[in-house]
């Protein structure tokens, strides 16, 4: 199987403090990887490092994406190359029209791919189609980006953006948190619709219930900046039952 | 790179209107005395009363001091080193039809995006083009005349409609109102005159485009707009100047007279040359703008987008005399590099149930400094007066500053005055969010800033709104990333 992403011995610091302490992870095209682990273990940090956020300094190791060194790309270049991060806390951009923003994002990607910009009508058709997937009302498109959206609405908006931008690697950081049961199902369907042999997903979550909807190929447990256990979907069920204690103990013993 | 570095880099604008038109001009040697004023008045073949108006203003001005209460650092201005008259040569023998206007001038306005030939003109916008001290062309005059609307250069108005000019000139901003207004009243050169008769809704946007070209000259334009009972007009003002190392003075006076049930919407996109990234050169923009709502239910709104000038000193104001009259002030001011702006408004509530709204958005980048200065005054007579003020500042980087000076004087216990203020930094989270969606840093900053200014931009007429949005983006180029 062809590798999309290869993380080797990744160490990263935030604010001078080492948070990631040697991560190894390979994601092949078409795979869905779930990352679980206690609060503060470094899950969001890993997502941010992959997306290229400022202030997250890689001190050791490498990340190869589509066969190239990912770490030397600017965040916007990574995005145009197909990395999409659904934020744990999507930010509000007051006054910037949601639809305008999304169109600008799509056009940035199209331009990067050497394709012509999408015209207003085609864009409208595309967005309408994708909005059906996340069951979002038209009125959200004329509001400011996430401006005054409820927590769940923000998360749906993330999935809408993802559905429109059709990333190669989607990184979902706790997209399930703060969602009611219906929204969870809707968001999960959005992700499942995107599932294809050309795309991969890294999904950070605390809860098995998301994995009931989006069945992962692999489950990894992150603790204190390291992946301490990897397995298939049954690992998540085991965690749900036993918590992290037994793993942490095992880690200490090792 | 820290976000401050990033921001510092994105701010650093390139001024797109900095070219000089090579045209032969008559320029009065620098210096100011009564002879200068007599010369200007004679050039324009003005009636005696107007010369007297000028001389009175000049004599008053001599007794005044340049104000220093604004939060601005202004290098001393040598008023004797300024030339008070510059006019393209071909213009000697009075107003001409468009076909006779020097092609170089037409080309200049074309380059600025203001085609003057009526067939190419912006649909639905009539333009008065003022080049240095004179108006070089006014479009759609005949079409407007059919509705009884007068739209012409100030000089023409003095010749063709002396009674109207005499009745209203100085009636809103008296000659001795303030230092710069007095100076303007003494030496004003040209500008626009608008009269909308009773009950007429002006069918197109009226617009004046001011261009400073000559060096070492000041521009002192005078605008007078009268909306008679029940009339409506939307008026736009745009300005640019070449890039020059010395500071040039622009001291304008704008008077709006709004009669009963009338409405004036006045929009400005001010893009005078701001100086270079080290603060060398640029226009000193010291402007007095005031609207007088003389009758009941009169309404005036000022909308301004101020991105240019080295220093801006400007407080478009509303005197709400008529009962139920309404004053609005929507402002976006952007200061980058070493630009300074002290701007705001005065809302003077005299009539009953008068209301005013102030929305001010300040954006500072580089070493830019700006202050919002506003006065809301409610007289004892103004029962039921209401004001809502909102002043938001956005900082890009940590070398710039934003200050707010709201003054409230309420002498009527029924007055409701509300003031809200906020200061925010463009956040790293917002920038990263945009980048993560594939937007470059400059586009992201431009987008965030435009979003911040949206409540004001949306008050602008369509063509201007697009222009203003671009301008905010361009003025912040290299402010980040
Ligand atoms: N700017 C920072 N300065 C110092 N420490 C930081 C900074 N940002 C994150 N950290 C620390 O890094 C550690 C990992 O944080 P991270 O957000 O990656 O955890 P997480 O696994 O996503 O947790 P959660 O499940 O609560 O979302 C935490 O201890 C956090 O306090
Ligand atoms: Mg997290």
């Amino acid at each position: 199987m062809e590798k999309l992403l290869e993380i080797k011995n990744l160490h990263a610091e935030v604010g001078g403090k080492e948070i990631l302490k040697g991560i190894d992870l390979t994601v092949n095209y078409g795979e869905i990887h779930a990352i679980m682990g206690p609060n503060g273990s470094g899950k969001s940090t890993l997502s941010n490092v992959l997306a290229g956020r400022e202030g997250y300094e890689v001190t050791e190791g490498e990340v190869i994406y589509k066969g190239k060194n990912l770490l030397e790309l600017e965040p916007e270049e990574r995005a145009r190359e197909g990395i999409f991060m659904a934020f744990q806390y999507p930010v509000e951009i007051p006054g910037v029209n949601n639809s305008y923003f999304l169109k600008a994002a799509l056009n940035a990607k199209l331009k990067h791919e050497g394709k012509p910009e999408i015209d207003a009508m085609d864009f409208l058709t595309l967005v309408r189609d994708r909005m059906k997937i996340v069951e979002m009302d038209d009125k959200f498109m004329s509001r400011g980006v996430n401006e005054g959206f409820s927590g769940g609405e923000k998360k749906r908006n993330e999935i809408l953006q993802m559905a429109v931008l059709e990333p190669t690697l989607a990184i979902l950081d706790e997209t399930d948190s703060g969602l009611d049961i219906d929204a969870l199902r809707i968001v999960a369907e959005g992700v499942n619709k995107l599932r294809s042999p050309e795309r991969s997903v890294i999904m950070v979550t605390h809860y098995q219930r998301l994995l009931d909807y989006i069945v992962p190929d692999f489950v990894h447990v992150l603790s204190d900046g390291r992946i301490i256990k990897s397995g298939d979907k049954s690992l998540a069920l085991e965690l749900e039952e036993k918590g992290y204690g037994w793993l942490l103990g095992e880690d200490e013993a090792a | 790179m820290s976000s401050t570095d990033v921001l510092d880099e994105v701010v650093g604008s390139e001024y797109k209107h900095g070219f000089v038109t090579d045209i032969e001009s008559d320029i009065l040697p620098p210096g100011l005395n009564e002879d200068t004023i007599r010369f200007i008045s004679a050039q324009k073949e003005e009636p005696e009363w107007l010369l007297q108006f000028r001389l009175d203003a000049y004599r008053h001005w001599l007794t005044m001091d340049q104000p220093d209460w604004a939060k601005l650092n202004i290098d001393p201005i040598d008023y004797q080193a300024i030339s008070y008259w510059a006019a393209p040569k071909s213009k000697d023998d009075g107003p001409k039809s468009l076909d006779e206007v020097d092609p170089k001038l037409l080309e200049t306005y074309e380059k600025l995006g203001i085609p003057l030939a009526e067939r190419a003109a912006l649909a639905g916008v009539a333009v008065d083009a003022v080049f240095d001290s004179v108006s070089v062309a006014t479009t759609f005059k005949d079409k407007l005349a059919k509705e009884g609307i007068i739209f012409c250069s100030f000089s023409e108005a003095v010749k063709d409609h002396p009674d109207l000019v005499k009745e209203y000139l100085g009636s809103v901003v008296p000659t001795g109102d303030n230092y710069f207004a007095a100076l303007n009243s003494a030496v004003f050169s040209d500008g626009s005159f608008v009269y909308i008769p009773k009950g007429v809704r002006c069918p197109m946007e009226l617009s004046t485009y001011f261009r400073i070209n000559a060096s070492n000259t000041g521009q002192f334009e005078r605008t007078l707009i009268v909306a008679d009972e029940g009339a409506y007009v939307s008026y736009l003002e745009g300005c640019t100047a070449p890039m020059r190392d010395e500071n040039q003075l622009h001291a304008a006076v704008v008077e709006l007279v709004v009669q009963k049930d009338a409405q004036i919407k006045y929009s400005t996109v001010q893009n005078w040359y701001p100086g270079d990234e080290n603060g060398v050169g640029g226009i000193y923009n010291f402007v007095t703008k005031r609207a007088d709502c003389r009758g009941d239910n009169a309404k005036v709104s000022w909308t301004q987008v101020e991105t240019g000038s080295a220093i801006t000193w400007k407080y478009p104001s509303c005197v709400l005399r008529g009962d139920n009259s309404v004053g609005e002030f929507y402002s976006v001011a952007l200061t980058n590099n070493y630009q300074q702006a002290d701007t705001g408004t005065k809302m003077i509530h005299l009539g009953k149930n008068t209301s005013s709204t102030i929305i001010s958005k300040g954006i500072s980048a580089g070493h830019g400094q700006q202050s919002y200065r506003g006065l809301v005054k409610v007289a004892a007579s103004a029962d039921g007066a209401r004001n809502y003020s909102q002043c938001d500042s956005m900082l890009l980087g940590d070398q710039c500053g934003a200050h707010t000076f709201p003054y409230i004087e309420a002498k009527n216990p029924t007055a409701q005055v509300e003031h809200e203020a906020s200061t925010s930094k463009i956040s790293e989270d917002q920038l990263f969010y945009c980048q993560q969606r594939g937007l470059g840093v400059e586009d992201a900053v431009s987008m965030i800033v435009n979003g911040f200014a949206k409540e004001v931009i949306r008050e602008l007429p369509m063509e201007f709104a697009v222009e203003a949005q671009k301008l905010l983006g361009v003025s912040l180029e290299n402010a980040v990333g």
Side-chain angles (χ1 to χ4, degrees):
Chain A
M1 253 205 262
E2 205 191 335
K3 284 176 192 165
L4 172 61
L5 179 78
E6 200 177 2
I7 303 173
K8 292 185 207 157
N9 189 30
L10 182 68
H11 290 249
E13 287 182 358
V14 186
K17 186 177 158 220
E18 181 164 71
I19 309 290
L20 301 184
K21 301 173 179 172
I23 304 255
D24 291 281
L25 176 67
T26 298
V27 177
N28 294 312
Y29 278 94
E31 290 176 352
I32 296 196
H33 291 243
I35 297 191
M36 306 183 79
N39 292 131
S41 56
K43 303 182 296 295
S44 292
T45 303
L46 176 61
S47 309
N48 281 312
V49 167
L50 293 177
R53 186 171 197 138
E54 189 181 294
Y56 290 75
E57 203 190 332
V58 173
T59 50
E60 217 183 308
E62 58 179 341
V63 180
I64 309 295
Y65 172 74
K66 292 185 179 171
K68 284 179 285 194
N69 179 3
L70 180 71
L71 299 177
E72 65 187 18
L73 299 182
E74 293 295 328
E76 61 268 33
E77 293 169 326
R78 300 184 196 194
R80 293 170 198 159
E81 280 289 333
I83 292 186
F84 178 94
M85 170 165 162
F87 286 75
Q88 184 171 358
Y89 305 107
V91 67
E92 300 193 9
I93 313 180
V96 176
N97 180 278
N98 206 20
S99 167
Y100 176 78
F101 177 79
L102 185 48
K103 188 166 164 227
L106 179 58
N107 277 331
K109 187 166 184 242
L110 291 172
K111 191 173 168 206
H112 177 74
E113 291 165 354
K115 295 179 186 154
E117 294 201 344
I118 190 164
D119 72 43
M121 287 313 293
D122 290 348
F123 178 72
L124 201 66
T125 313
L126 175 69
V127 170
R128 289 248 163 87
D129 177 65
R130 300 304 141 95
M131 279 172 79
K132 271 187 235 138
I133 300 176
V134 287
E135 294 179 20
M136 240 166 100
D137 193 279
D138 254 10
K139 66 175 191 261
F140 286 100
M141 293 318 286
S142 51
R143 284 169 65 176
V145 177
N146 295 323
E147 192 178 356
F149 287 22
S150 75
E153 288 163 354
K154 284 181 184 167
K155 297 291 175 78
R156 279 197 218 191
N157 197 32
E158 295 289 283
I159 299 304
L160 171 69
Q161 292 178 356
M162 180 181 83
V164 168
L165 296 173
E166 300 185 326
T168 314
L169 175 63
I171 304 166
L172 311 181
D173 193 358
E174 294 197 29
T175 298
D176 53 335
S177 65
L179 292 181
D180 63 35
I181 307 288
D182 289 339
L184 180 69
R185 180 184 46 79
I186 289 163
V187 161
E189 268 169 31
V191 177
N192 281 331
K193 286 229 169 80
L194 199 79
R195 219 170 167 160
S196 93
E198 286 87 52
R199 279 190 244 289
S200 311
V201 179
I202 294 176
M203 202 163 52
V204 174
T205 182
H206 285 291
Y207 305 106
Q208 167 59 35
R209 51 171 199 182
L210 179 67
L211 307 183
D212 289 338
Y213 291 107
I214 311 170
V215 182
D217 299 297
F218 300 93
V219 174
H220 310 277
V221 178
L222 194 63
S223 169
D224 191 23
R226 290 185 191 89
I227 291 177
I228 55 165
K229 179 112 186 149
S230 296
D232 62 14
K233 60 184 181 193
S234 64
L235 176 58
L237 290 167
E238 207 174 345
L239 290 170
E240 181 97 328
E241 201 178 306
K242 301 201 237 169
Y244 293 113
W246 61 283
L247 275 177
L248 301 179
E250 184 183 278
D251 188 39
E252 267 160 24
Chain B
M1 193 168 9
S2 82
S3 75
T4 328
D5 294 344
V6 172
L7 285 170
D8 283 345
E9 274 184 45
V10 175
V11 189
S13 62
E14 226 193 281
Y15 189 71
K16 309 269 198 266
H17 306 295
F19 64 91
V20 178
T21 305
D22 181 15
I23 191 160
E24 235 187 305
S25 294
D26 288 318
I27 300 184
L28 194 65
L32 178 57
N33 53 43
E34 294 202 359
D35 289 340
T36 323
I37 291 162
R38 288 177 202 282
F39 174 86
I40 294 171
S41 192
Q43 280 288 309
K44 304 170 82 68
E45 298 164 18
E46 286 177 354
E48 183 58 27
W49 66 266
L50 191 49
L51 173 61
Q52 206 50 50
F53 175 94
R54 291 176 179 276
L55 290 172
D56 289 347
Y58 176 66
R59 288 168 195 155
H60 194 107
W61 180 73
L62 288 176
T63 69
M64 303 172 90
D65 292 319
Q66 189 178 315
D68 63 354
W69 43 260
K71 197 173 162 46
L72 299 170
N73 285 318
I74 307 173
D75 286 339
I77 299 169
D78 181 355
Y79 292 92
Q80 297 303 334
I82 296 171
S83 166
Y84 289 83
W85 178 262
K89 258 215 165 73
S90 55
K91 186 68 174 115
D92 291 349
D93 29 65
K96 294 178 175 183
S97 82
L98 264 181
D99 314 336
E100 294 170 67
V101 174
D102 189 323
K104 269 190 189 156
L105 288 174
L106 293 181
E107 198 186 308
T108 301
Y109 285 91
E110 196 95 38
K111 241 166 141 178
L112 296 169
I114 321 283
L116 294 177
E118 289 187 6
R119 65 193 144 69
L122 297 167
V125 184
V127 181
D128 182 25
V130 177
F131 192 83
D132 290 330
S133 300
V134 295
S135 164
V136 293
T138 309
T139 63
F140 295 111
K141 247 164 53 181
D142 301 342
K143 185 173 176 201
L144 293 165
K146 290 200 185 90
E147 310 260 353
I149 295 167
I150 304 169
F151 177 44
C152 61
S153 73
F154 202 90
S155 312
E156 278 173 81
V158 170
K159 287 204 176 84
D160 301 344
H161 311 280
D163 296 344
L164 282 174
V165 176
K166 196 170 176 183
E167 182 178 352
Y168 292 107
L169 180 67
S171 73
V172 182
V173 179
T175 48
D177 187 81
N178 68 72
Y179 188 80
F180 299 113
L183 178 63
N184 174 287
S185 300
V187 301
F188 70 85
S189 39
D190 214 338
S192 300
F193 177 80
V194 176
Y195 176 79
I196 314 287
K198 264 187 199 166
V200 172
R201 197 182 159 87
C202 186
M204 55 194 345
E205 312 270 354
L206 302 186
S207 145
T208 301
Y209 195 90
F210 295 103
R211 172 78 177 166
I212 296 179
N213 188 62
S215 60
N216 273 318
T217 53
Q219 192 177 40
F220 304 92
E221 90 262 357
R222 190 89 193 187
T223 299
L224 176 56
I225 300 177
V226 181
D228 218 327
E229 284 186 20
Y232 169 87
V233 63
S234 167
Y235 180 89
L236 323 169
E237 177 199 2
C239 353
T240 56
M243 297 156 83
R244 297 191 189 280
D245 288 345
E246 82 267 21
N247 295 114
Q248 282 180 278
L249 179 61
H250 170 257
V253 171
V254 176
E255 297 180 278
L256 309 186
V257 177
V258 201
Q259 305 288 25
K260 184 166 176 286
D261 299 321
Q263 185 182 349
I264 297 179
K265 195 171 157 52
Y266 191 108
S267 313
T268 305
V269 173
Q270 186 266 109
N271 186 27
W272 295 119
Y273 178 53
D276 69 8
E277 67 274 15
N278 299 313
V280 176
I283 302 290
Y284 285 173
N285 186 36
F286 301 154
V287 173
T288 305
K289 291 184 166 173
R290 194 173 303 152
D292 193 354
C293 290
R294 295 210 171 145
D296 295 350
N297 311 312
K299 181 173 176 184
V300 65
S301 41
W302 297 104
T303 305
Q304 59 173 22
V305 175
E306 306 274 321
T307 58
S309 296
I311 303 179
T312 294
W313 179 99
K314 180 179 173 189
Y315 316 89
S317 304
C318 303
V319 181
L320 305 172
R321 219 181 283 281
D323 291 347
N324 309 314
S325 56
V326 177
E328 294 172 340
F329 174 73
Y330 300 98
S331 169
V332 178
L334 184 152
T335 47
N336 190 4
N337 297 319
Y338 286 87
Q339 283 177 275
Q340 308 174 60
D342 193 299
T343 183
T345 183
K346 282 192 246 176
M347 294 290 175
I348 314 292
H349 294 255
L350 302 175
K352 293 189 186 34
N353 300 315
T354 45
S355 69
S356 60
T357 304
I358 299 171
I359 308 284
S360 164
K361 303 275 179 175
I363 301 145
S364 290
H367 295 263
Q369 287 292 332
Q370 66 171 281
S371 306
Y372 165 80
R373 189 180 302 278
L375 170 65
V376 176
K377 193 168 177 172
V378 181
S381 56
D383 290 333
R386 275 164 300 142
N387 161 267
Y388 172 73
S389 304
Q390 182 191 326
C391 304
D392 300 321
S393 308
M394 180 178 263
L395 302 174
L396 283 79
D398 51 12
Q399 310 278 335
C400 50
H403 320 273
T404 310
F405 303 101
Y407 304 98
I408 297 168
E409 290 173 25
K411 298 220 173 75
N412 185 308
T414 64
Q416 290 176 39
V417 179
E418 234 182 299
H419 179 87
E420 286 176 25
S422 76
T423 301
S424 56
K425 287 205 164 202
I426 202 164
S427 81
E428 275 177 47
D429 288 349
Q430 289 173 328
L431 269 182
F432 178 62
Y433 190 81
C434 293
Q435 284 179 282
Q436 212 306 304
R437 295 302 180 253
L439 303 175
V441 182
E442 285 189 6
D443 288 343
V445 170
S446 170
M447 212 182 258
I448 295 166
V449 165
N450 269 301
F452 171 73
K454 187 179 194 172
E455 284 168 274
V456 175
I457 304 278
R458 72 167 174 223
E459 294 294 328
L460 290 170
M462 189 64 161
E463 309 81 22
F464 254 37
V466 174
E467 176 77 3
Q469 277 172 329
K470 276 193 221 142
L471 207 51
L472 287 177
V474 168
S475 305
L476 287 171
E477 252 164 40
N478 309 319
V480 191

